[in-house]
Amino acid sequence: MPELLLILPAYNEEQNIGSVIDSLREKCANADILVVDDGSADGTSEVCQKKGVLVVRHDVNLGLASGVRTGMKYALLKGYQYAMQFDADGQHDETKVEEMLKTARDENCDIVIGSRFLKKDRPPFLKSLGKGMISFCIKLTCGKRITDPTSGMRVYNRDVIEKFALSSHFSPEPDMLAFMIRKGAKIVEIPVTMRSRRSGRSYLDLIESVRYMFRMITSILIVQWLR
Amino acid sequence: MPLSLRIILMVSSLLSLIFVVRRLKKVQVQLYDTVFWIMLAVIFVVLSIFPQIAISLAGLLGVQSPVNLVYLIIIFFLLAHCFLQSLRFSRLEDQFKTHVGEDALKKMDDDKEN
């Protein structure tokens, strides 16, 4: 049995997910792929079933965090050593999966993050402002610099899989990283490049982004201390 | 602002803060849901320690007494929270109904197969 489970949370990604699965199969043949269809209204599940990968489907759309949690529960149940969160929209670079897994294994990391900003690669202004603020808050409270706290490309080890699967206080968000760092987890970043979306639009619009920022910042600065 | 009100505000805010944090530690409440209550408690503690804030704000807004402003702030927060809860409740109800329906359909399919 492979040691790595690739978790692809997907919401209305029928356009992109087919090619993502194809290139993942090519670049990392010895990993299992699990698509978590988070209540898509389009043919996301059908596309994945045709490709022959594992598919689990939520009846209703519950959001990214729940999608990842379902994947983590599966990973825990089946006994995978590592689980990787990977975007279904084609933004992530499949060739980096092996390298990230190797880092997790060799350096005994709890979490390995694929970071866009270890090499100079500046995103649009508003996005970098938001990420910069979150980065700053984490540095302020934990003393460690995470260059890309919102990256959705992460490898988790067995310990973290268990925490994610069993507690609703863990979510694949920057505030969880801050909490984990303070609890002594080892987090390493690997430089990656990301493509822009192949089709469709990102679900994060402006109001949603502001809400997200507020949540993350209050959570990192205030709530995490009280947990 | 009368001293008795300040003491009541402070004590009740701190008590509710402790209550929320205990629930948080026991994972009986979602992380992000506690933000509202924590912030509210902090605001009232600050107001009870520095009543000048309420006094000068009341003067600025033309509210007759600072106490009324404090009530106004409480009412505002409660209404805002009530509204947001109502939106959220609608969404949950909708999700729940969808889920129960889909689940029932799946069970029907399973029964046929067996």
Side-chain angles (χ1 to χ4, degrees):
Chain A
M1 179 184 143
E3 61 176 346
L4 175 70
L5 177 71
L6 285 156
I7 300 169
L8 278 67
Y11 179 56
N12 292 343
E13 294 287 358
E14 65 174 3
Q15 308 268 357
N16 301 309
I17 199 154
S19 54
V20 174
I21 291 172
D22 287 342
S23 38
L24 275 174
R25 279 228 171 103
E26 193 185 313
K27 300 285 175 355
C28 20
N30 51 356
D32 283 347
I33 300 174
L34 171 73
V35 175
V36 183
D37 178 0
D38 192 20
S40 297
D42 67 358
T44 301
S45 285
E46 286 74 16
V47 172
C48 299
Q49 269 152 3
K50 263 183 211 148
K51 295 275 177 196
V53 293
L54 300 159
V55 186
V56 54
R57 191 180 146 77
H58 290 170
D59 290 335
V60 285
N61 178 246
L62 297 177
L64 179 71
S66 304
V68 175
R69 179 163 306 130
T70 301
M72 292 296 208
K73 281 187 172 154
Y74 183 84
L76 181 71
L77 205 70
K78 300 289 174 180
Y80 290 92
Q81 289 306 310
Y82 295 95
M84 179 168 191
Q85 186 190 335
F86 197 89
D87 275 7
D89 60 7
Q91 291 193 77
H92 292 167
D93 181 3
E94 296 84 1
T95 57
K96 290 283 178 179
V97 174
E98 289 286 344
E99 187 188 338
M100 287 174 66
L101 178 64
K102 193 173 175 317
T103 308
R105 208 188 296 126
D106 294 351
E107 298 186 29
N108 211 4
C109 303
D110 292 291
I111 301 175
V112 177
I113 305 172
S115 166
R116 282 157 280 186
F117 313 127
L118 274 178
K119 291 185 203 152
K120 277 274 165 266
D121 182 14
R122 286 281 113 190
F125 174 72
L126 265 179
K127 263 192 173 172
S128 66
L129 181 76
K131 283 175 210 301
M133 272 161 73
I134 295 177
S135 243
F136 176 74
C137 291
I138 295 179
K139 171 92 182 152
L140 195 73
T141 53
C142 314
K144 185 179 161 68
R145 180 149 177 79
I146 300 285
T147 59
D148 195 354
T150 56
S151 166
M153 189 179 184
R154 303 196 190 115
V155 174
Y156 306 98
N157 73 359
R158 185 82 187 154
D159 283 349
V160 184
I161 292 174
E162 199 175 312
K163 290 199 172 82
F164 257 90
L166 300 178
S167 166
S168 64
H169 274 187
F170 283 85
S171 60
E173 302 290 358
D175 55 337
M176 178 274 298
L177 293 177
F179 182 72
M180 295 289 293
I181 294 171
R182 275 217 300 280
K183 292 281 169 193
K186 184 172 180 190
I187 299 179
V188 169
E189 288 187 290
I190 296 276
V192 296
T193 49
M194 291 192 193
R195 298 180 280 261
S196 46
R197 289 177 61 84
R198 284 179 192 161
S199 77
R201 54 186 293 273
S202 172
Y203 57 91
L204 277 179
D205 59 13
L206 187 68
I207 298 172
E208 207 45 51
S209 305
V210 172
R211 260 182 73 177
Y212 177 81
M213 288 297 302
F214 177 76
R215 267 186 165 194
M216 284 309 127
I217 289 173
T218 49
S219 174
I220 292 170
L221 294 181
I222 306 168
V223 185
Q224 298 292 329
W225 295 99
L226 306 170
R227 277 171 79 169
Chain B
M1 226 167 34
L3 186 68
S4 51
L5 181 69
R6 285 171 59 188
I7 294 171
I8 292 173
L9 256 185
M10 170 119 77
V11 171
S12 54
S13 301
L14 288 176
L15 281 180
S16 51
L17 197 61
I18 292 168
F19 183 74
V20 171
V21 171
R22 280 187 52 183
R23 289 286 150 114
L24 185 68
K25 282 195 194 294
K26 286 193 213 157
V27 202
Q28 284 173 338
V29 60
Q30 293 276 313
L31 213 64
Y32 303 121
D33 289 342
T34 59
V35 172
F36 173 82
W37 300 109
I38 292 170
M39 303 269 264
L40 200 65
V42 170
I43 288 174
F44 290 136
V45 170
V46 171
L47 273 179
S48 59
I49 298 174
F50 306 107
Q52 296 90 339
I53 298 175
I55 295 168
S56 46
L57 258 183
L60 205 69
L61 295 174
V63 179
Q64 278 204 337
S65 94
V67 181
N68 287 350
L69 184 72
V70 174
Y71 294 151
L72 194 67
I73 293 172
I74 295 177
I75 292 170
F76 170 77
F77 274 114
L78 286 182
L79 278 180
H81 196 243
C82 185
F83 175 68
L84 291 176
Q85 291 295 314
S86 164
L87 290 182
R88 192 164 156 193
F89 185 74
S90 300
R91 206 189 63 228
L92 279 176
E93 200 173 35
D94 184 49
Q95 286 182 336
F96 177 70
K97 285 176 182 165
T98 312
H99 175 69
V100 170
E102 299 263 344
D103 191 52
L105 287 170
K106 258 180 224 156
K107 278 189 185 131
M108 195 175 78
D109 280 350
D110 289 350
D111 286 347
K112 268 184 195 158
E113 276 167 28
N114 290 334

